[in-house]
Amino acid sequence: MTSRHGTRDLLAVLIVAVLVDVALCVYSIYVRDGAVRRKLRRLKMREERLLAVFDAHPVPMYVVDRETMRFLAVNAAAVRQYGYDEDKFLALTLRDIRPQEDIGRFEQYMQRLEPVSQQGRTMAGVWRHQRSDGSVLRVDISHHSLTFLGRPAIFVLADDVTAQISAEAEAQRSTQMLETVIDHIPQRIFWKDRESRYLGCNMAFALDAGLAYPEQVIGKTDDDLAWHPYADALRRQDRAVIASGVPRMNVEAEFTLGELHKTIVSSKLPLLDGEDRVIGVLGSYTDTTDRKRADFALRLQSRALDASVNAIVITGPGASGHLIEYANPAFKRITGYDPADVIGRDCRLLQRDDHDQEGLVAIRTALAANREVSAVLRNYRKDGQLFWNQLLIAPVPEPDGRTTHHIGIINDVTELIRYQEQLEYQANYDSLTLLPNRNLLRHRLQQALVAAKRRGRGLAVVFIDLDGFKNVNDSLGHSVGDELLYVLAERLARCAGPGDTVARHGGDEFVILIPDTADEDALIAWMERARSAISEPVLIGRTELYVGCSMGASVYPQDGDNAETLLKKADIAMYRAKDVGRNTYQFFMPEMNASANARMNVERRLRRALRDGELRLHYQPLVSLRDGRIVGLEALVRWHDPEMGIVSPGEFIPVAEESGLIGPLSEWVLREACRQNKAWQDDGLPPARVSVNVSATVFVQRDIPKLVTGVLHETGLDAIWLELELTESALMRNAEEALSMMNELNALGVGLAVDDFGTGYSSLSYLKRLPVDRLKIDRSFVSDIGRSGDNETITSAVITLAHSLDLKVTAEGVETSAQLEFLRERACDEMQGFFFAAPLPGEQIPALLQAGSAYVGQFSPA
């Protein structure tokens, strides 16, 4: 621009000189004729040369009238620049080459323009002009005032600077863009001279240095920024680059700031001048501490994924659905598929064709709602084996909230499902017979009732109890009893129809649910078929067993409309079948309720009797057949009910067994018998042993040695004066346990007797091992003496067997002299029965003990 302005000034001076010369020449024409003409010719030639220079000059120039602003002269460059021919140009004014919006500014400028006499060269600055085609250009204007053709005029140079301005603007934009980029990149960037004075930096570096703006770093040295966390590490690198002129790229440095461990990565380039001399350094660094921590955390997370016991997959979108992009090593262990083999495959491959699953519906719903979901699915391993999968799916959102990927966690819960199924099976099925248990029975019965009510059909409930099963259990043991139950359960199941339910209700009780029962005859036919199947012999090992069954039936709707009522009435009918002789069946009749209610009433009153002390003991003497002396007393419980009077033991003992009251009742009898016997001894009466019956239920369920020890200690009775009578069934139910408890009792000094011997299934090998003192022959054998040769033979054999084992023998139920003589002849040791005395109240016993004998009639001691 400076050289162009110089050319403009020179040209303007020449043109002004020409114009002055022309004016002088005209004047000379009138003064000197010949000389003037010669000079005029010279001036004209000079003018033409100057006009040629004016017209050929590359800078657009023109002369305008001062007042009208009309163009008076334009050069060729101006014509080319504005696009007007010369004639058109000379018809225009300065206003015509300006955009309309700039005319106001132009008018103001012209008003401020100084008078011609005072005006020299003026630099007017850059203006916008308009070409003939309407395009706008920018021109750098300078002008001089002059007189042209006798009028005040302005000589103007209009240099086109449009391209220059555009280039400068573009350079400025590029510079600003570069500065913006540098300021916003995360790396810290700086540049400084050889003396380590900072020439500039970006915003990230300034903020690290504690400065508000990058300009604040200019002129500072490293010493000024000594507090900068990375100053020492940066200074050493900068000096090395300046000294060597060799770049240092991606240099990692570690150092500690207080308790923090820091890591930076820096790069340095030498700043060179035009002659490749190092004049400074351009550097950048990045604090990689957080990134390294993040990388370490990522490695830990990756390791955790690889080490997870659960299979983990990551899926991404694909044309055919959610495609697997990652699978951890556990995926192969659980599914059998190698992770590399499933990449790019649809994640539903594990379901194969099993798409009708409730869990899949929940998954689809959750995916549509873009939320997490957990569901249990049936999946299939590579070899086709089924496994249960508890699948958790979690969406992975993008920063803009869109979800493109999902994480799936596969947890093999096959064992858990199987365990739950096992628990469910155990909750609903009997483990021995594999039949439905009472829980499932009630559920099915309730469902059958709903269906029966809806269709207007009937249904029947049959309650079955095995007859004689207790003897099998007591004599042959529970293992044989269990095998028998399993066989009978199979037989009942074969008797059932497709829609029937055969359930084990507990113990040796079964319940059969028969829906859509047509009539009573069909039900009777079914029960006859079931009774016949059960009555068939069962061979277990080498033992052939026979049992029967008692059955009771209730029918919907006449006997009830709910499960509890129908089961209760079928149970009542079954007990009625037992009462009328067993191995038969009974339909529920309304009058049966009275019997059931009576049984419940007995239980209620028996509980009150135990609580209020309504029970009493009677004692039946045991007499020695050798000399007729009373050697013992059997304690027998009696009940005088304030409401009903005397209640037979045959009426309330079974109720006590069924209701669980036999335990408290037996304990009361034991304690009272020991207390009374000790009281008689304290009164000076001849001592006699007292015998107490222990039921099989009490013997199995209670710790008898502990109970007896406590009672003897409490009452003060010596153990030798107490004898416990145990039935064969109690001893053989669990012979080994019985042997252990009897040894403990024998060690205490308590006498032991086997009651009702011969009515059960005794094992002679166990009998030999048992520490018993005597056998008691059951009254059923004694009562037939003189009438049944078989029973006499059995009685004789029992006495002989007992004596061979060094055991005493007591015969029960002796009522006639013939029975007495038979027993004496076979050396029976003791007997008891109405022939001597009936069971007597406790207050009558002292007289008998005092007399020392209890025989009546024609008895004479042997």
Side-chain angles (χ1 to χ4, degrees), residues 15 108 116 149 396 413 516 605 692 831:
I15 292 174
Q108 293 176 359
V116 176
L149 299 178
V396 182
V413 293
D516 296 329
R605 290 186 287 111
V692 177
M831 57 187 68

Side-chain angles (χ1 to χ4, degrees), residues 443-470:
H443 176 68
R444 290 186 178 177
L445 179 53
Q446 289 168 350
Q447 288 183 320
L449 283 170
V450 172
K453 292 174 183 178
R454 185 174 63 251
R455 296 197 297 260
R457 302 294 297 274
L459 64 82
V461 175
V462 180
F463 212 112
I464 299 179
D465 185 84
L466 300 179
D467 298 327
F469 178 77
K470 185 172 180 292

Side-chain angles (χ1 to χ4, degrees), residues 191-199 238 241-246 269-282:
W191 49 99
K192 54 186 177 179
D193 60 20
R194 292 184 63 88
E195 285 71 36
S196 292
R197 287 190 298 268
Y198 284 94
L199 302 174
D238 295 344
V241 171
I242 292 173
S244 65
V246 179
L269 293 172
L271 283 179
L272 305 176
D273 62 9
E275 298 180 1
D276 293 336
R277 290 177 299 188
V278 178
I279 60 173
V281 62
L282 171 66

Side-chain angles (χ1 to χ4, degrees), residues 352-668:
R352 298 200 172 184
D353 297 327
D354 191 0
H355 299 308
D356 187 16
Q357 301 190 47
E358 183 179 350
L360 291 176
V361 177
I363 289 175
R364 295 189 194 104
T365 303
L367 290 177
N370 197 30
R371 58 178 172 81
E372 288 188 6
V373 62
S374 178
V376 176
L377 301 176
R378 294 184 299 272
N379 283 172
Y380 299 87
R381 296 187 172 93
K382 187 176 182 180
D383 60 4
Q385 183 181 2
L386 169 70
F387 75 96
W388 287 93
N389 165 24
Q390 184 176 32
L391 176 63
L392 171 67
I393 299 178
V396 182
E398 293 291 321
D400 59 2
R402 293 181 303 108
T403 296
T404 58
H405 290 72
H406 291 81
I407 294 178
I409 300 177
I410 297 174
N411 185 14
D412 186 351
V413 293
T414 305
E415 292 302 320
L416 177 61
I417 293 295
R418 288 175 180 169
Y419 179 67
Q420 290 175 342
E421 289 176 346
Q422 182 180 0
L423 291 180
E424 184 177 356
Y425 184 87
Q426 291 175 350
N428 292 291
Y429 289 87
D430 175 57
S431 59
L432 173 61
T433 63
L434 306 182
L435 295 176
N437 60 14
R438 65 173 64 194
N439 182 52
L440 183 56
L441 168 69
R442 291 175 187 273
H443 176 68
R444 290 186 178 177
L445 179 53
Q446 289 168 350
Q447 288 183 320
L449 283 170
V450 172
K453 292 174 183 178
R454 185 174 63 251
R455 296 197 297 260
R457 302 294 297 274
L459 64 82
V461 175
V462 180
F463 212 112
I464 299 179
D465 185 84
L466 300 179
D467 298 327
F469 178 77
K470 185 172 180 292
N471 289 334
V472 174
N473 243 2
D474 292 344
S475 59
L476 300 179
H478 284 279
S479 60
V480 174
D482 288 346
E483 289 188 55
L484 177 61
L485 279 176
Y486 182 80
V487 172
L488 297 180
E490 282 189 322
R491 292 181 180 180
L492 282 175
R494 287 197 298 269
C495 292
D500 300 345
T501 295
V502 179
R504 184 185 181 193
H505 199 254
D508 59 348
E509 295 177 339
F510 298 88
V511 175
I512 294 83
L513 166 62
I514 308 175
D516 296 329
T517 304
D519 52 40
E520 186 175 294
D521 291 338
L523 182 56
I524 290 174
W526 187 93
M527 289 192 290
E528 285 287 3
R529 190 164 64 252
R531 186 164 65 100
S532 298
I534 291 176
S535 298
E536 290 291 324
V538 178
L539 184 64
I540 298 178
R542 296 182 178 180
T543 304
E544 193 173 63
L545 302 175
Y546 294 86
V547 293
C549 66
S550 298
M551 292 184 283
S554 62
V555 179
Y556 167 83
Q558 54 263 44
D559 294 333
D561 61 358
N562 61 76
E564 289 298 328
T565 300
L566 290 172
L567 286 169
K568 176 183 176 183
K569 290 185 176 180
D571 190 24
I572 291 173
M574 182 272 294
Y575 274 106
R576 176 60 180 168
K578 284 188 176 293
D579 291 341
V580 299
R582 300 173 183 265
N583 200 29
T584 185
Y585 56 83
Q586 290 285 313
F587 284 89
F588 175 79
M589 303 295 290
E591 55 268 23
M592 293 180 183
N593 270 332
S595 175
N597 290 337
R599 188 183 299 270
M600 292 177 62
N601 187 41
V602 170
E603 179 183 343
R604 176 185 60 80
R605 290 186 287 111
L606 181 58
R607 292 182 184 277
R608 185 197 63 200
L610 284 167
R611 182 193 66 202
D612 298 343
E614 298 173 4
L615 302 175
R616 297 289 183 270
L617 287 185
H618 284 203
Y619 299 89
Q620 188 171 32
L622 286 86
V623 180
S624 169
L625 278 175
R626 185 174 59 83
D627 56 13
R629 287 187 311 103
I630 296 175
V631 293
L633 302 164
E634 181 177 0
L636 302 168
V637 65
R638 296 293 182 263
W639 178 18
H640 188 276
D641 188 342
E643 298 178 15
M644 309 299 295
I646 299 298
V647 182
S648 166
E651 183 177 348
F652 70 83
I653 293 296
V655 174
E657 292 273 5
E658 293 172 10
S659 64
L661 293 175
I662 192 65
L665 178 61
S666 298
E667 186 175 336
W668 178 84

